[in-house]
């Protein structure tokens, strides 16, 4: 197999970059079609010439793809200038409005840079977008971003309704099978998280631990006007009354206002809401537990050990702090609205 026997096209165009810039697409398409026609009569030709035509098809085909892709932003601008709508443009490209807007934005930035380069070089013919033309395109981009936001919001509204129905159908999840059945109804790409704070219904003596699913909002995007939120699923641990009717258990499980079951997250829950009395009481309990732990460590030291003495002093200080915080909880004014 020798290079001398390959077709002229293959010898000249070994890579897409070898195709001369500005070659008309019609010429490239004809060159590719001719190579294809020769391939269809390959039984009459030597093997290495056949390989050359096959490579020509690949090289020229890729050159065509790149040329068309490079013109895409300009074609979007032309369609909009002639009166096409953003949804029509997106449909023609078989993509989303947001993706089409991004094509236009990238093209416009490149054309603006090209114009200023020619202007700085003192070129006789200025190519690209001047500030006025660039401003017109940026207005199209802004409008397209708004259009995309509406498009995404409508899609999210429709999806969220379906998701809410799926979650509402399983307000409690007691078994792995029930959880699996729920997840099978949700999109594979849907964000999923587990609330690490166990939540409890105050005052219930007979309780059963379960999980309740609820929809939460997660933000996606790149801090642009088209930034969107999409629904995700959070599995929240709760205690529900037992024995009780299914409706009663479900009503408790679907509540999202229950405080955390453990003292530290419970304190944070109340304090963040401005519920100072409940928050300070929970904080006092946390301090008491810390004082107890420090005291247990201090007990391992001898009475005359300096480290042990310091730990015992700190345990007493923490205990006193717990007493002061607990006392403050009885007199502080609530600030929750």
């Amino acid at each position: 197999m020798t290079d001398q026997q390959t077709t002229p096209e293959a010898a000249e165009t070994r890579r897409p970059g070898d195709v001369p810039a500005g070659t008309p697409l019609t010429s490239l398409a004809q060159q590719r079609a001719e190579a294809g026609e020769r391939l269809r009569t390959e039984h009459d030709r030597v093997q290495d010439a056949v390989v050359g035509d096959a490579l020509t098809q690949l090289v020229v085909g890729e050159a065509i793809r790149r040329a068309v892709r490079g013109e895409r932003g300009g074609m979007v601008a032309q369609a909009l200038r002639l009166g096409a709508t953003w949804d029509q443009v997106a449909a023609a490209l078989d993509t989303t409005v947001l993706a089409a807007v991004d094509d236009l934005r990238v093209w416009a930035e490149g054309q603006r840079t090209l114009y200023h380069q020619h202007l700085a070089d003192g070129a006789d013919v200025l190519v690209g977008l001047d500030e006025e033309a660039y401003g017109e395109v940026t207005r199209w981009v802004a409008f397209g971003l708004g259009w995309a936001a509406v498009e995404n919001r409508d899609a999210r509204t429709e999806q969220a309704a379906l998701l809410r129905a799926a979650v509402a159908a399983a307000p409690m999840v007691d078994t792995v099978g029930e959880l699996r059945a729920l997840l099978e109804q949700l999109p594979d790409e849907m964000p999923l998280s587990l609330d690490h704070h166990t939540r409890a219904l105050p005052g219930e003596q007979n309780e059963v631990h379960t999980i309740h699913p609820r929809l939460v909002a997660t933000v996606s995007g790149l801090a642009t006007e088209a930034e969107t939120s999409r629904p995700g699923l959070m599995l929240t641990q709760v205690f529900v009354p037992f024995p009780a009717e299914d409706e009663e258990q479900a009503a408790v499980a679907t509540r999202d206002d229950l405080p955390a079951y453990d003292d530290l997250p419970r304190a944070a829950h109340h304090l963040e809401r401005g519920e100072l009395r409940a928050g300070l009481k929970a904080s006092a309990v946390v301090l008491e537990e810390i004082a107890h732990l420090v005291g247990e460590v201090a007990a391992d030291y001898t009475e005359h050990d300096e480290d042990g003495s310091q730990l015992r002093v700190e345990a007493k200080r923490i205990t006193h702090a717990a007493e002061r915080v607990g006392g403050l909880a009885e007199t502080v004014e609530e600030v929750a609205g």
Side-chain angles (χ1 to χ4, degrees):
M1 185 180 302
T2 63
D3 289 342
Q4 285 77 9
Q5 292 175 304
T6 58
T7 60
E9 293 87 348
E12 296 172 1
T13 56
R14 297 176 183 275
R15 296 178 181 275
D18 295 336
V19 175
T23 302
L25 290 177
T26 53
S27 176
L28 292 176
Q30 181 179 359
Q31 183 178 342
R32 189 170 186 273
E34 290 173 352
E37 182 62 29
R38 287 192 296 269
L39 280 174
R40 283 189 285 273
T41 60
E42 61 184 35
H43 60 279
D44 297 329
R45 305 178 60 229
V46 292
Q47 179 65 24
D48 42 357
V50 171
V51 171
D53 281 325
L55 292 175
T56 294
Q57 280 207 309
L58 291 175
V59 171
V60 176
E62 175 61 17
I64 292 173
R65 188 194 70 80
R66 293 184 183 184
V68 172
R69 188 66 181 84
E71 297 176 357
R72 186 163 171 168
M75 290 187 289
V76 170
Q78 184 179 38
L80 293 171
R81 188 178 294 109
L82 294 173
T85 61
W86 270 115
D87 58 340
Q88 290 175 327
V89 169
L93 296 173
D94 193 23
T95 187
T96 64
V97 170
L98 190 58
V101 170
D102 194 56
D103 282 333
L104 178 62
R105 180 189 60 78
V106 171
W107 172 82
E109 293 291 346
Q111 292 296 305
R112 182 193 192 195
T113 300
L114 183 63
Y115 175 84
H116 284 285
Q117 286 176 344
H118 280 76
L119 188 64
D121 294 340
D124 295 332
V125 179
L126 298 179
V127 179
L129 295 178
D130 60 18
E131 290 304 315
E132 182 179 354
Y134 178 76
E136 181 184 19
V137 175
T138 55
R139 287 190 290 273
W140 293 341
V141 169
F143 185 74
L145 290 174
W147 193 301
V150 172
E151 181 183 62
N152 290 337
R153 185 178 67 243
D154 292 343
R156 292 197 311 274
T157 300
E158 181 179 355
Q159 182 191 48
L162 298 175
L163 296 177
R164 278 194 296 270
V167 172
M172 291 190 304
V173 178
D174 292 308
T175 67
V176 174
E178 291 178 347
L179 177 58
R180 178 180 178 180
L182 171 61
L183 296 179
E184 286 178 346
Q185 301 178 61
L186 305 176
D188 293 337
E189 69 279 6
M190 186 175 187
L192 176 64
S193 59
L194 176 65
D195 185 353
H196 63 283
H197 296 326
T198 304
R199 303 181 184 276
L201 182 66
E204 293 292 342
Q205 300 300 317
N206 298 317
E207 298 168 336
V208 59
H209 180 243
T210 187
I211 291 177
H212 106 253
R214 66 189 180 95
L215 292 178
V216 296
T218 60
V219 177
S220 61
L222 300 175
T224 66
E225 294 182 31
E227 182 179 273
T228 61
S229 62
R230 58 195 180 109
L233 185 71
M234 175 176 283
L235 300 177
T236 305
Q237 296 177 331
V238 295
F239 283 94
V240 298
F242 183 83
E245 297 293 331
D246 290 344
E247 291 79 6
E248 182 181 357
Q249 293 188 41
V252 173
T254 53
R255 288 176 57 177
D256 60 4
D257 61 336
L258 297 178
Y261 187 67
D262 297 327
D263 290 309
L264 182 57
R266 179 184 288 266
H269 172 89
H270 288 301
L271 291 176
E272 289 171 356
R273 291 169 174 250
E275 301 164 354
L276 299 186
R277 293 181 183 175
L280 291 175
K281 286 181 179 179
S283 299
V285 174
V286 173
L287 289 171
E288 290 173 358
E289 293 177 352
I290 294 174
H292 178 71
L293 290 173
V294 174
E296 285 188 337
V297 174
D300 293 334
Y301 290 87
T302 63
E303 183 176 351
H304 303 291
D305 189 288
E306 182 178 354
D307 290 336
S309 298
Q310 291 180 354
L311 286 173
R312 281 187 285 274
V313 170
E314 294 304 324
K316 290 181 180 179
R317 288 179 178 176
I318 298 173
T319 299
H320 292 157
E323 293 173 353
R324 291 194 299 271
V325 171
L328 184 61
E330 301 297 333
T331 60
V332 71
E333 295 184 1
E334 299 283 11
V335 297

